[in-house]
Amino acid sequence: MVERYARPEMVEKWTQHARYAAWLEVEKAAVKAWAKLGKIPQDDADKIVKNATFSVERIEEIEAVTKHDLIAFNTSVSESLGEESRWFHYGMTSSDAVDTGVALQMKASLEIIIDDVKMLMESIKKRAEEHKMTLMVGRSHGIHGEPITFGLTLAVWYDEMSRHLENLEQTMDVICVGQISGAMGNFAHAPLELEEYAMAELGLKPEPCSNQVVHRDRYARLATALATMASSIEKFAVQVRHLQRTEVYECEEYFAKGQKGSSAMPHKRNPILTENITGLARMIRSYAMPAMENVALWHERDISHSSTERFWLPDAFITTNFMLHRMNNVIANLTVMPENMMKNLNLTGGLVFSQRVLLELPIKGVSREDAYRIVQRNAMKVWEEIQQGKATTNEKGESLYLGHLLADDELRNSLSEEAIRDCFNYDYYTKNVDAIFKRVFKK
């Protein structure tokens, strides 16, 4: 766990005390259900609901002898009750309390994660609106492509997070399931109505057909939902890390007064937060593997899943919670440098306009093959000159590429000087940004 920096509201959901408190909540719901069905005296049920409590220390003391945590829990609770304790855990098996209790923990934790996602989306949206028309170069394969805006980059992130939000909300429905179906899930010792009453009390749904456990494909759905979201957040982090590279320097994580970047090099300002996020995403993805392997249990149950869940469930939630807040901090405080974005956009001497020129030629009757040949041969001249260290503008102050195109007789036979110059217009690339934003942020 990232306990040093973990947020307390999530950590408290996964303490030993929280685990036993969830069990007790399930047991009390079962007692209420038995009383509603007339199986146990209402007075005894009221006493259990009012007085039942436990001690973590006492449970650990008993478990040292019994080697069974649920039995140790039941014994500790029974010590807080009188004769009515005979109805505690009546007709139930361990997994009824344990799995249903975990469902309560997962539900409470996923509610926090969903709120975190909404928080991050709001921060992304705010910065996207701020930089809707901030021009920058789009890159594919790490190589300059065409002009885009930084707002569009952020809109991509927002749209991606909206899919994860929807997935998490659907996952909530999948994991909010409990059971009180007895030792083999056959309801031999407790009617279906008992489970239905108890789950309604707990705000859960009954597992439609349990055996002795809540089925672990539900947990795997949760783990993979968190893992895929973590991968997207890593994607955002990696882009910030690239944009902070000295040679690029278009964005930078906020660097606080007094902050240090290197023990040896005082000038360093490193993207430590996004590097940290990249590492955390690797951990969150790793939790999906044991969750998926836990789906296949022997027959009605074994406990091979139990040991892994004591690790991956709390760690996945705590780490995801921490990562979302860290990414939100990065986005909300990100230093954006529009001037450097524009400088880099002009770095290749106008080559970013090549497709614009290419698409004009077929309109004038030039074949696609000839158009590509004309446009590319002039582009290659610019690359060669840049390799030689030449300035990206010529003696007239025009971009290198524009100068070569204007001097190309074959091109001039099809396009006028005015038509060629008109291709070198950044507004052409931003004309649909508003429409894209309406589509992305329509919700």
Side-chain angles (χ1 to χ4, degrees):
M1 299 181 195
V2 286
E3 290 185 348
R4 180 181 175 190
Y5 302 105
R7 300 182 66 80
E9 66 270 22
M10 183 63 84
V11 173
E12 69 182 16
K13 298 291 186 291
W14 295 96
T15 63
Q16 278 291 73
H17 186 277
R19 181 170 181 248
Y20 297 138
W23 293 0
L24 184 58
E25 195 173 342
V26 175
E27 297 281 1
K28 287 182 177 181
V31 167
K32 290 180 181 180
W34 277 124
K36 188 172 185 177
L37 291 169
K39 181 69 175 183
I40 68 175
Q42 186 64 53
D43 185 54
D44 284 353
D46 292 341
K47 289 179 181 178
I48 292 173
V49 171
K50 180 181 178 181
N51 300 320
T53 188
F54 62 86
S55 163
V56 174
E57 293 76 15
R58 178 60 177 147
I59 292 170
E60 292 174 349
E61 181 181 293
I62 298 168
E63 187 181 357
V65 177
T66 63
K67 313 301 182 187
H68 195 292
D69 54 0
L70 198 283
I71 291 175
F73 166 78
N74 287 342
T75 302
S76 176
V77 173
S78 294
E79 291 173 351
S80 70
L81 302 171
E83 291 184 1
E84 68 275 7
S85 65
R86 66 188 185 277
W87 304 117
F88 193 81
H89 199 65
Y90 184 80
M92 297 172 64
T93 190
S94 297
S95 293
D96 290 340
V98 174
D99 284 8
T100 308
V102 170
L104 295 176
Q105 290 178 279
M106 291 191 296
K107 179 184 178 183
S109 299
L110 191 52
E111 286 171 349
I112 293 174
I113 296 297
I114 287 173
D115 285 342
D116 291 343
V117 170
K118 292 177 180 178
M119 170 192 68
L120 177 57
M121 289 176 68
E122 281 301 309
S123 292
I124 294 173
K125 180 180 179 180
K126 180 179 179 181
R127 299 310 300 271
E129 292 287 353
E130 178 185 349
H131 292 286
K132 180 192 289 190
M133 295 298 179
T134 300
L135 282 164
M136 67 182 296
V137 68
R139 299 170 171 91
S140 59
H141 306 276
I143 307 302
H144 286 200
E146 290 192 332
I148 60 171
T149 75
F150 188 53
L152 285 176
T153 295
L154 292 165
V156 167
W157 299 359
Y158 182 93
D159 185 55
E160 196 158 337
M161 289 306 299
S162 70
R163 291 194 294 277
H164 291 300
L165 177 61
E166 182 178 6
N167 189 22
L168 291 172
E169 289 172 340
Q170 293 171 352
T171 299
M172 177 72 84
D173 187 61
V174 172
I175 65 170
C176 286
V177 169
Q179 65 172 52
I180 301 181
S181 54
M184 288 295 121
N186 56 16
F187 289 95
H189 310 290
L192 273 70
E193 291 82 2
L194 177 80
E195 182 180 72
E196 291 166 359
Y197 290 152
M199 293 307 112
E201 173 76 18
L202 296 168
L204 303 174
K205 298 177 300 181
E207 177 72 85
C209 188
S210 61
N211 36 35
Q212 197 173 336
V213 293
V214 168
H215 303 299
R216 261 42 190 185
D217 64 287
R218 298 182 183 277
Y219 289 49
R221 166 67 182 266
L222 168 67
T224 53
L226 296 178
T228 52
M229 180 177 68
S231 296
S232 289
I233 295 173
E234 181 187 14
K235 166 185 170 179
F236 312 156
V238 166
Q239 187 148 357
V240 171
R241 289 169 59 191
H242 168 75
L243 294 177
Q244 188 166 334
R245 291 176 59 201
T246 307
E247 297 86 349
V248 180
Y249 207 49
E250 295 179 5
C251 291
E252 183 182 49
E253 292 178 10
Y254 176 72
F255 197 82
K257 184 178 181 179
Q259 185 175 337
K260 305 293 189 293
S262 167
S263 64
M265 297 167 283
H267 70 279
K268 294 295 292 295
R269 292 158 69 108
N270 302 326
I272 57 172
L273 299 180
T274 45
E275 288 175 342
N276 174 259
I277 288 168
T278 296
L280 295 178
R282 294 169 184 167
M283 292 304 302
I284 294 167
R285 282 194 296 272
S286 74
Y287 302 138
M289 183 59 73
M292 290 187 287
E293 292 181 342
N294 286 346
V295 174
L297 303 179
W298 283 21
H299 304 294
E300 279 54 64
R301 74 165 286 205
D302 60 48
I303 62 166
S304 59
H305 62 288
S306 176
S307 57
T308 67
E309 288 168 1
R310 295 180 192 224
F311 284 93
W312 83 256
L313 272 170
D315 279 22
F317 275 115
I318 291 170
T319 306
T320 301
N321 173 237
F322 174 78
M323 180 183 66
L324 285 164
H325 279 266
R326 173 144 287 187
M327 193 70 219
N328 184 69
N329 178 47
V330 169
I331 297 296
N333 298 297
L334 188 67
T335 300
V336 181
M337 292 166 270
E339 294 81 6
N340 284 351
M341 289 179 172
M342 182 57 72
K343 180 183 74 174
N344 288 338
L345 187 53
N346 293 319
L347 198 62
T348 56
L351 291 182
V352 293
F353 299 104
S354 70
Q355 183 178 194
R356 178 80 171 90
V357 179
L358 174 69
L359 295 178
E360 288 298 309
L361 289 172
I363 298 173
K364 300 298 183 180
V366 180
S367 71
R368 171 79 181 191
E369 291 74 18
D370 286 342
Y372 198 100
R373 175 178 52 79
I374 295 168
V375 171
Q376 187 187 41
R377 75 181 176 208
N378 286 288
M380 294 305 105
K381 293 176 184 178
V382 176
W383 278 121
E384 291 169 3
E385 290 171 347
I386 291 175
Q387 290 171 0
Q388 295 166 8
K390 291 186 178 180
T392 56
T393 56
N394 59 25
E395 63 279 359
K396 298 180 181 179
E398 300 169 332
S399 68
L400 287 179
Y401 192 43
L402 176 59
H404 284 298
L405 292 174
L406 291 174
D408 190 303
D409 292 337
E410 186 178 6
L411 176 63
R412 292 296 300 275
N413 287 335
S414 300
L415 293 180
S416 67
E417 177 178 346
E418 181 182 2
I420 295 172
R421 289 185 180 278
D422 190 52
C423 291
F424 287 70
N425 181 0
Y426 288 122
D427 291 341
Y428 177 85
Y429 297 89
T430 61
K431 62 180 181 291
N432 287 315
V433 171
D434 281 327
I436 296 170
F437 265 54
K438 287 179 181 178
R439 198 158 64 175
V440 172
F441 299 109
K442 62 182 180 297
K443 296 180 181 179

